[in-house]
Amino acid sequence: YQRRVRGKLHPEDVAYNIIQDVTLRLFYLEIKELVITDEIYCPPETSVLLASYCCQEKFGDFDAEIYHTSLLDIDSLLPIRVTQQHRLTHSQWEEKIVDCWLEHKDQLREEAMLSFLKIAQDLDMYGVNYFEIYNRKGSKLWLG
């Protein structure tokens, strides 16, 4: 059973507009899902950076003794489009994510979520919702 929350309003400045931790968490989960499912287009380099913030939020600081094996689920961190487009191995993707993850040392969970959202709010498709409509000829169109 999975519950999904969709926000109708996407704040222009998440650092200023999101006040409560629970709102931050729910909005982070929504935007993370939209990025991973490619509903919000994200360039590969930015996808890796966002994945590193997801790791910081979920696991805390990187520790080589704990994360020495392939613990990262690349499919739940990166859009499939990105992994198929670049055809790197699982360990190569993991290495790229860990390189960025190391830069987030001592960042709290809430700070990692906020950093993720600050980057996501600058993506071109952030805040764009598509609706199915039909023109006079009956052809299906998408309005965003």
Side-chain angles (χ1 to χ4, degrees):
Y1 179 69
Q2 183 178 1
R3 184 173 293 208
R4 191 166 178 200
V5 176
R6 295 286 304 248
K8 291 281 188 181
L9 176 68
H10 291 81
E12 289 182 34
D13 183 2
V14 293
Y16 179 75
N17 294 118
I18 297 181
I19 300 168
Q20 295 181 336
D21 288 342
V22 69
T23 307
L24 175 67
R25 175 89 177 136
L26 292 173
F27 194 62
Y28 161 77
L29 291 173
E30 176 188 350
I31 300 300
K32 176 184 167 190
E33 179 71 21
L34 293 174
V35 168
I36 291 170
T37 59
D38 228 8
E39 290 181 52
I40 295 178
Y41 173 80
C42 187
E45 302 81 18
T46 307
S47 296
V48 170
L49 179 58
L50 292 178
S52 70
Y53 281 115
C54 292
C55 293
Q56 183 68 23
E57 181 272 329
K58 186 173 183 178
F59 302 114
D61 291 342
F62 178 79
D63 184 347
E65 292 179 12
I66 297 173
Y67 304 113
H68 64 281
T69 59
S70 299
L71 290 177
L72 301 182
D73 181 12
I74 300 302
D75 294 333
S76 69
L77 292 171
L78 296 171
I80 293 173
R81 169 191 49 80
V82 171
T83 57
Q84 289 176 346
Q85 184 179 12
H86 292 280
R87 302 199 188 279
L88 297 175
T89 64
H90 185 280
S91 60
Q92 289 172 321
W93 282 117
E94 191 174 69
E95 184 179 325
K96 286 182 173 293
I97 292 170
V98 167
D99 286 345
C100 291
W101 185 5
L102 289 169
E103 296 176 18
H104 312 317
K105 186 171 174 57
D106 296 327
Q107 194 174 51
L108 299 175
R109 182 180 194 178
E110 291 77 16
E111 292 172 339
M113 289 188 287
L114 190 57
S115 296
F116 178 99
L117 290 172
K118 284 180 182 178
I119 294 168
Q121 76 183 4
D122 292 332
L123 296 173
D124 291 337
M125 297 304 293
Y126 173 83
V128 176
N129 294 315
Y130 285 101
F131 301 93
E132 186 177 309
I133 62 167
Y134 294 90
N135 65 9
R136 290 184 181 165
K137 294 180 182 179
S139 300
K140 183 168 59 170
L141 303 172
W142 291 97
L143 178 66

XYZ file of all heavy atoms in Angstrom, residues 32-38 47-48 51 54-55 58-59 70-85 87-91 93-94 97:
305
model
N 10.772 14.618 -5.186
C 11.708 13.519 -5.433
C 11.076 12.487 -6.365
O 11.703 12.044 -7.338
C 12.101 12.872 -4.103
C 12.986 11.664 -4.230
C 13.238 11.051 -2.871
C 13.846 9.681 -2.989
N 13.896 8.968 -1.722
N 9.845 12.118 -6.104
C 9.127 11.157 -6.945
C 8.953 11.686 -8.370
O 9.135 10.957 -9.341
C 7.763 10.833 -6.322
C 6.932 9.871 -7.126
C 7.469 8.446 -7.120
O 8.236 8.098 -6.208
O 7.122 7.693 -8.045
N 8.623 12.971 -8.499
C 8.437 13.573 -9.822
C 9.753 13.610 -10.610
O 9.746 13.436 -11.834
C 7.851 14.976 -9.693
C 6.417 15.064 -9.167
C 6.005 16.512 -8.940
C 5.447 14.366 -10.107
N 10.864 13.820 -9.931
C 12.167 13.830 -10.603
C 12.543 12.412 -11.029
O 12.961 12.180 -12.167
C 13.260 14.450 -9.692
C 14.653 14.201 -10.256
C 13.020 15.944 -9.512
N 12.378 11.446 -10.133
C 12.771 10.069 -10.433
C 11.906 9.464 -11.546
O 12.400 8.727 -12.390
C 12.730 9.204 -9.151
C 13.847 9.652 -8.211
C 12.876 7.725 -9.480
C 13.785 9.066 -6.835
N 10.623 9.812 -11.576
C 9.742 9.294 -12.626
C 9.824 10.113 -13.903
O 9.121 9.834 -14.860
C 8.276 9.245 -12.143
O 7.864 10.563 -11.779
C 8.102 8.276 -10.997
N 10.667 11.125 -13.898
C 10.921 11.980 -15.064
C 9.737 12.871 -15.427
O 9.655 13.374 -16.543
C 11.345 11.144 -16.276
C 12.572 11.696 -16.954
O 13.191 12.634 -16.410
O 12.923 11.216 -18.042
N 20.810 15.298 -11.659
C 20.205 14.089 -11.098
C 21.135 13.419 -10.098
O 20.692 12.958 -9.040
C 19.863 13.094 -12.213
O 18.899 13.599 -13.080
N 22.422 13.383 -10.423
C 23.408 12.785 -9.513
C 23.505 13.612 -8.233
O 23.537 13.063 -7.126
C 24.783 12.653 -10.208
C 25.869 12.276 -9.211
C 24.708 11.625 -11.327
N 20.455 12.996 -6.176
C 20.550 11.657 -5.577
C 21.450 11.680 -4.346
O 21.173 11.008 -3.349
C 21.070 10.659 -6.608
N 19.524 12.929 -1.507
C 18.619 11.870 -1.043
C 19.352 10.911 -0.107
O 18.802 10.478 0.911
C 18.039 11.095 -2.225
S 16.910 12.040 -3.257
N 20.594 10.591 -0.446
C 21.404 9.710 0.409
C 21.705 10.364 1.748
O 21.637 9.711 2.796
C 22.704 9.336 -0.297
S 22.462 8.293 -1.737
N 18.550 10.250 3.792
C 18.167 8.910 4.238
C 19.169 8.273 5.193
O 18.790 7.669 6.200
C 17.977 8.008 3.020
C 17.442 6.638 3.343
C 17.111 5.870 2.085
C 16.496 4.529 2.427
N 16.117 3.791 1.217
N 20.475 8.400 4.882
C 21.501 7.682 5.631
C 22.356 8.556 6.533
O 23.077 8.046 7.383
C 22.447 6.949 4.661
C 21.760 5.976 3.762
C 21.715 6.202 2.402
C 21.154 4.844 4.259
C 21.100 5.312 1.544
C 20.526 3.938 3.419
C 20.493 4.177 2.060
N 27.485 -2.325 -2.391
C 26.483 -1.651 -3.220
C 25.138 -1.573 -2.497
O 24.222 -2.330 -2.778
C 26.338 -2.376 -4.553
O 27.539 -2.358 -5.246
N 25.043 -0.648 -1.575
C 23.806 -0.473 -0.820
C 22.841 0.477 -1.507
O 21.659 0.491 -1.197
C 24.112 0.070 0.584
C 24.806 -0.880 1.542
C 25.093 -0.177 2.857
C 23.960 -2.103 1.787
N 23.345 1.282 -2.426
C 22.489 2.281 -3.061
C 21.647 1.646 -4.158
O 22.159 0.942 -5.020
C 23.337 3.411 -3.642
C 24.221 4.171 -2.664
C 24.960 5.281 -3.393
C 23.402 4.734 -1.530
N 20.357 1.919 -4.116
C 19.440 1.458 -5.150
C 19.371 2.555 -6.208
O 18.604 3.515 -6.067
C 18.060 1.178 -4.552
C 17.070 0.679 -5.572
O 17.485 0.321 -6.695
O 15.867 0.652 -5.261
N 20.171 2.408 -7.242
C 20.286 3.439 -8.277
C 18.935 3.729 -8.922
O 18.617 4.875 -9.232
C 21.334 3.017 -9.342
C 22.701 2.814 -8.699
C 21.406 4.029 -10.478
C 23.252 4.025 -7.977
N 18.090 2.699 -9.092
C 16.783 2.891 -9.726
C 15.848 3.772 -8.905
O 14.947 4.396 -9.457
C 16.113 1.547 -9.994
C 16.875 0.734 -11.031
O 17.561 1.352 -11.871
O 16.789 -0.507 -10.993
N 16.073 3.833 -7.595
C 15.216 4.687 -6.762
C 15.859 6.054 -6.514
O 15.286 6.878 -5.802
C 14.906 4.004 -5.430
O 16.070 3.931 -4.638
N 17.036 6.273 -7.097
C 17.732 7.552 -6.910
C 17.829 8.376 -8.191
O 17.906 9.597 -8.133
C 19.147 7.312 -6.373
C 19.247 6.770 -4.956
C 20.685 6.374 -4.635
C 18.734 7.795 -3.957
N 17.862 7.696 -9.340
C 18.047 8.384 -10.621
C 16.913 8.036 -11.583
O 16.423 6.908 -11.574
C 19.376 7.966 -11.262
C 20.648 8.340 -10.519
C 21.852 7.661 -11.167
C 20.839 9.840 -10.484
N 16.531 8.974 -12.441
C 15.544 8.655 -13.477
C 16.081 7.569 -14.415
O 17.279 7.545 -14.728
C 15.362 9.975 -14.232
C 15.871 11.036 -13.322
C 16.924 10.383 -12.473
N 15.217 6.682 -14.859
C 15.632 5.609 -15.765
C 16.248 6.182 -17.041
O 17.215 5.641 -17.570
C 14.434 4.689 -16.081
C 14.023 3.942 -14.824
C 14.764 3.711 -17.190
C 12.751 3.143 -14.961
N 15.708 7.301 -17.511
C 16.238 7.955 -18.714
C 17.728 8.245 -18.567
O 18.514 8.034 -19.480
C 15.477 9.260 -18.987
C 16.108 10.151 -20.041
C 15.474 11.518 -20.086
N 15.338 12.186 -18.803
C 16.322 12.826 -18.172
N 17.523 12.888 -18.693
N 16.110 13.414 -17.011
N 18.132 8.702 -17.391
C 19.528 9.065 -17.149
C 20.411 7.815 -17.166
O 21.466 7.803 -17.807
C 19.677 9.821 -15.808
C 21.125 10.013 -15.432
C 18.959 11.161 -15.888
N 19.999 6.754 -16.489
C 20.828 5.544 -16.439
C 20.908 4.859 -17.796
O 21.961 4.317 -18.149
C 20.298 4.558 -15.379
O 18.933 4.240 -15.660
C 20.420 5.140 -13.987
N 19.838 4.901 -18.570
C 19.867 4.283 -19.896
C 20.659 5.127 -20.892
O 21.321 4.588 -21.769
C 18.441 4.079 -20.414
C 17.695 3.004 -19.680
C 16.259 2.882 -20.139
O 15.724 3.737 -20.824
N 15.620 1.793 -19.745
N 20.588 6.425 -20.752
C 21.250 7.327 -21.681
C 22.773 7.235 -21.580
O 23.474 7.310 -22.582
C 20.786 8.757 -21.407
C 21.310 9.806 -22.344
C 20.763 11.193 -21.989
O 20.174 11.397 -20.927
N 20.966 12.132 -22.876
N 24.600 4.718 -19.759
C 25.074 3.325 -19.721
C 26.319 3.100 -18.848
O 27.264 2.430 -19.263
C 25.308 2.812 -21.123
C 24.103 2.856 -22.020
C 24.265 1.935 -23.194
N 23.194 2.107 -24.158
C 21.984 1.565 -24.067
N 21.692 0.830 -23.032
N 21.074 1.773 -24.997
N 26.321 3.686 -17.695
C 27.390 3.406 -16.736
C 26.988 2.189 -15.915
O 25.800 1.882 -15.774
C 27.613 4.605 -15.809
C 28.087 5.902 -16.470
C 28.150 7.014 -15.436
C 29.419 5.729 -17.147
N 27.958 1.523 -15.332
C 27.647 0.386 -14.467
C 27.082 0.894 -13.138
O 27.210 2.076 -12.805
C 28.908 -0.448 -14.180
O 29.829 0.352 -13.441
C 29.552 -0.938 -15.477
N 26.519 -0.017 -12.382
C 25.962 0.336 -11.072
C 27.043 0.957 -10.189
O 26.808 1.964 -9.518
C 25.370 -0.912 -10.416
C 24.681 -0.631 -9.119
N 25.369 -0.479 -7.938
C 23.376 -0.460 -8.824
C 24.515 -0.229 -6.964
N 23.301 -0.215 -7.473
N 28.227 0.371 -10.196
C 29.306 0.892 -9.339
C 29.799 2.259 -9.809
O 30.210 3.088 -8.990
C 30.462 -0.104 -9.264
O 31.001 -0.340 -10.540
N 27.845 4.575 -11.257
C 26.821 5.519 -10.784
C 26.976 5.748 -9.291
O 26.889 6.869 -8.805
C 25.409 5.002 -11.080
C 24.984 5.171 -12.497
C 24.674 4.195 -13.392
C 24.816 6.415 -13.204
N 24.328 4.749 -14.596
C 24.404 6.106 -14.501
C 24.979 7.759 -12.863
C 24.146 7.082 -15.466
C 24.727 8.728 -13.813
C 24.322 8.393 -15.094
N 27.197 4.659 -8.571
C 27.371 4.756 -7.123
C 28.558 5.654 -6.775
O 28.474 6.484 -5.879
C 27.570 3.356 -6.549
C 27.500 3.289 -5.052
C 27.561 1.858 -4.572
O 28.634 1.234 -4.715
O 26.543 1.367 -4.063
N 27.627 9.328 -7.282
C 26.730 9.792 -6.216
C 27.507 9.975 -4.916
O 27.349 10.987 -4.225
C 25.546 8.817 -6.040
C 24.644 8.869 -7.281
C 24.756 9.140 -4.781
C 23.586 7.794 -7.330
